[in-house]
Amino acid sequence: RTFSLAESDDEFLVSATRRYVHTVTIPAAPEHVWAALTAADALVSFSPFVTGMRWLTSSPRGVGSVRIVTLVGAVALTERFYRWDEQRRMTFTVSAASIPGLRRFAEDVLLEPVGSATRLTWTFALEGQSPVRPLLWLGSPLSQRVTASIANGVTRRALDVAAGTSR
């Protein structure tokens, strides 16, 4: 069963009731970071909390692309990209979840060159739905750990891409 979520936009990314913003500087060029973010093993290779990812749209990816991401083998999120600026920024809204309790959910990934490195800013924005109580992890330290593990995991994967290796 899936539960539909309300559409999210840029305004929601700054005004959401639950926001997690992680910034990391990655010692790799933006094109290597982007390659890690868009690789077939993206997300799954970043965090043990992400256990699956499947694209519903074919390449090339861009605005309108859709994928399903599975968290801890139990929560499936259907994500639709509304921004896709090659090697710079991608933003999506979650249109459906396999669990109740979410009203809106969006993520924004921004890459900024800093010398020969890249500053990655990953914003997670969530809002629960009444009267169904949001999942406990939405406001907990666990949510902070999950989102941080994803943002920090990009560093490891981008360095592999830059070195031409994989783990």
Side-chain angles (χ1 to χ4, degrees):
R1 181 170 180 195
T2 60
F3 300 88
S4 295
L5 277 67
E7 195 76 12
S8 299
D9 57 17
D10 288 347
E11 188 279 325
F12 175 69
L13 285 163
V14 297
S15 67
T17 56
R18 301 269 192 245
R19 289 181 72 240
Y20 303 92
V21 180
H22 302 283
T23 302
V24 293
T25 300
I26 301 171
E31 60 266 21
H32 296 298
V33 178
W34 186 262
L37 290 167
T38 58
D41 67 347
L43 298 177
V44 175
S45 67
F46 303 162
S47 171
F49 298 106
V50 180
T51 55
M53 184 187 78
R54 179 172 52 99
W55 286 98
L56 300 182
T57 51
S58 59
S59 293
R61 310 285 186 241
V63 172
S65 290
V66 177
R67 70 183 178 191
I68 296 176
V69 173
T70 306
L71 303 173
V72 293
V75 179
L77 304 172
T78 303
E79 306 170 341
R80 184 190 53 75
F81 288 82
Y82 68 84
R83 178 183 293 118
W84 190 281
D85 300 334
E86 285 288 324
Q87 298 184 22
R88 185 177 183 296
R89 193 171 187 186
M90 62 173 74
T91 313
F92 64 81
T93 181
V94 174
S95 59
S98 63
I99 48 138
L102 290 172
R103 183 176 182 283
R104 292 194 289 178
F105 184 174
E107 294 181 29
D108 180 63
V109 180
L110 174 65
L111 305 180
E112 299 170 289
V114 180
S116 61
T118 303
R119 179 183 309 117
L120 165 74
T121 303
W122 199 316
T123 302
F124 299 79
L126 306 111
E127 182 178 278
Q129 178 173 301
S130 295
V132 179
R133 182 170 182 223
L135 291 176
L136 293 175
W137 62 269
L138 289 181
S140 73
L142 177 58
S143 186
Q144 179 72 19
R145 279 190 26 217
V146 169
T147 58
S149 77
I150 294 168
N152 290 323
V154 176
T155 299
R156 291 186 309 275
R157 189 64 183 102
L159 292 175
D160 288 346
V161 169
T165 62
S166 61
R167 294 178 193 235

